[in-house]
Amino acid sequence: MSRSERGRGLRERLDVPSTGPTSLPIPLRGEHPAPAEAPPSLGGSAATARPAEASAPQQQEGAEAYGAAPGTISAPGEPVSSSSSAPRDSSARGTETQTIVHLVRHGEVHNPDGVLYGRLPGFRLSELGRSQAETVARTLGQGHDIVSIVASPLQRAQETAAPLAEALGLPVGIDADIIEADNRFEGNKVGGRGGALRNPRYWPILVNPLRPSWGEPYLQIAHRMIGAVYSTLDTARGHEAVLVSHQLPVYTTRRFLEGRRLWHDPRSRQCSLASITSLVFEGTTLRDIVYTEPAGASDPSQTGA
């Protein structure tokens, strides 16, 4: 049985509905809570991302918007049967084991030609990217009970994981389930003058931005990432673990777990270079999502990031 199959089997046994825990605060569309000052650690108070103060009615979106067959996933706003959506007694929470899975985005990539590199080999971290990886190592290397570090197979993710692994004396595992999303624009400049979006031969693959039609479906990205998260939750139970991945997989995972629509404007992603999106579990139930930017904010649409 492959790891992805084990992850799917594990997820079926856990207390997580198909569109994510409905007990989590869901920000308004297009808005994000301010980053926390630091990622949460076991034994300390978790500085959670602040939810939007008011909830706006959301238009329901069917399974087709996720790139799934009708009936395979509930639309946001529809009732989801899950014990995680019911209020729980605080004393009961205190008896549950806390586990934190940190989703780390890699640092800046050396990309002088400004292409969309996707899964292409040979794209290493830039000088700034290596500095950002060292910042992640300093942030998570002290005061955290990290027992596992796993990275995407791509060079930039492994180079981001390396300083933390060296600081903690841990090996870096490799998991293809957290690799960058597949994209048919790979190797091309996309926007701006001379970009692929201005070339009529690419227009047919832009027909469905909700799936999206030019690359790996959002739902498929979410499912493989969730499989990796819950496999990690099982092996690191009661401790902390790190998964070093990429902007779109990390942000799609967050939207999935928050029960939000998966298609979105890439310019509004809250997933800066070397950022940390921490998933805080009590037992097998996701309770908080904490977002931090130890290396500072970056432009989500920057080519080479």
Side-chain angles (χ1 to χ4, degrees), residues 32-294:
H32 295 288
E37 293 182 359
S41 59
L42 293 173
S45 59
T48 58
R50 296 194 303 271
E53 293 182 358
S55 59
Q58 296 189 2
Q59 179 183 357
Q60 293 186 3
E61 294 150 337
E64 294 87 347
Y66 289 90
T72 61
I73 189 167
S74 300
E78 292 182 351
V80 180
S81 175
S82 167
S83 60
S84 67
S85 62
R88 303 193 59 180
D89 182 83
S90 59
S91 62
R93 288 192 183 189
T95 64
E96 296 177 339
T97 301
Q98 186 184 75
T99 307
I100 301 175
V101 180
H102 302 284
L103 304 182
V104 176
R105 183 188 172 193
H106 63 77
E108 184 187 75
V109 175
H110 179 68
N111 182 18
D113 295 327
V115 301
L116 192 155
Y117 40 76
R119 296 179 177 179
L120 293 175
F123 282 87
R124 58 177 174 80
L125 293 182
S126 65
E127 289 292 336
L128 175 60
R130 287 193 285 272
S131 175
Q132 291 169 335
E134 294 287 349
T135 298
V136 170
R138 288 193 297 272
T139 301
L140 293 177
Q142 295 183 350
H144 291 270
D145 184 22
I146 293 171
V147 297
S148 173
I149 302 173
V150 176
S152 154
L154 297 176
Q155 181 177 348
R156 57 191 183 272
Q158 295 177 50
E159 289 179 349
T160 301
L164 177 62
E166 182 178 0
L168 297 178
L170 293 172
V172 178
I174 298 177
D175 190 346
D177 281 345
I178 61 174
I179 197 171
E180 176 65 283
D182 189 29
N183 194 305
R184 292 178 65 182
F185 288 110
E186 194 173 86
N188 294 291
K189 292 183 178 180
V190 179
R193 188 174 183 179
L197 293 179
R198 294 175 179 261
N199 189 332
R201 78 184 184 94
Y202 288 105
W203 293 351
I205 67 174
L206 300 175
V207 63
N208 183 5
L210 306 185
R211 183 175 175 88
S213 52
W214 58 82
E216 183 179 8
Y218 294 126
L219 187 64
Q220 181 174 310
I221 297 170
H223 279 180
R224 62 177 171 83
M225 286 290 293
I226 293 298
V229 166
Y230 283 104
S231 292
T232 300
L233 176 64
D234 191 43
T235 58
R237 191 171 307 281
H239 304 278
E240 300 178 57
V242 172
L243 298 180
V244 183
S245 185
H246 308 266
Q247 183 192 60
L248 181 56
V250 170
Y251 191 62
T252 299
T253 303
R254 175 176 169 178
R255 294 184 72 91
F256 183 93
L257 292 173
E258 288 176 334
R260 305 170 73 193
R261 70 183 187 192
L262 300 187
W263 63 272
H264 58 278
D265 184 343
R267 296 169 296 182
S268 66
R269 291 175 187 157
Q270 190 185 43
C271 190
S272 292
L273 291 164
S275 61
I276 305 171
T277 301
S278 303
L279 309 179
V280 184
F281 292 87
E282 290 179 0
T284 57
T285 300
L286 180 64
R287 291 299 179 197
D288 293 297
I289 298 178
V290 182
Y291 174 77
T292 53
E293 295 175 343

